[in-house]
Amino acid sequence: MKKTWGIIIVVLLIIIVTAGRLYKKYDRDQRLQEVNAVSQEQAQQLIQNQRQAEIDAQLAEQTRLRDSAYQVEKAAREQQMADLKALREQLEAEAAGN
C-alpha cells in the first residue's frame, strides 16, 4: 500500500512540475507576443512617420519650385513693364521732338 501511495505522489509531483514548466513557457510566449506586438506598432508608426516626412519634403520642394517660378515670372513681368515704359518714353520724346 505504501508503494502505491509513493507512486501516486511521484506521479503527482511530475504532473505539478510539468504543469509549472508549461505555464512558464506559455507565460513567456505571451510576453514575447506582447513585445512583438508593441515592436510591430512602433515599426508601423516609424514607417508612417517616414512616409509623412517624405510627403512633407515633397510638398516643401513643390512650394519652393512654385515660389521660384512665381519670382521668375514676376521679374519677367517687371522687366517687360520697364521695357514698355522706356519705349513709351522714347516714343513720347520722339513725338515731342517732331
Side-chain angles (χ1 to χ4, degrees), residues 57-95:
Q58 289 174 351
L59 288 174
E61 180 65 15
Q62 289 173 356
T63 302
R64 186 188 66 75
L65 290 174
R66 185 190 68 221
D67 290 348
S68 177
Y70 173 76
Q71 292 298 326
V72 168
E73 289 174 6
K74 182 179 175 186
R77 280 194 309 271
E78 289 174 353
Q79 182 62 43
Q80 186 180 17
M81 292 301 288
D83 291 345
L84 289 174
K85 185 177 179 183
L87 181 60
R88 185 183 79 189
E89 290 173 356
Q90 179 185 0
L91 290 173
E92 286 175 352
E94 288 177 5

Side-chain angles (χ1 to χ4, degrees), residues 17 20-21 27-28 36 38 42-44 48 56-57 59 64 68 77 87 90 93:
V17 169
R21 287 183 182 170
D27 188 49
R28 185 182 73 232
N36 286 340
V38 169
Q42 289 173 343
Q44 288 174 347
Q48 288 175 347
D56 291 345
L59 288 174
R64 186 188 66 75
S68 177
R77 280 194 309 271
L87 181 60
Q90 179 185 0

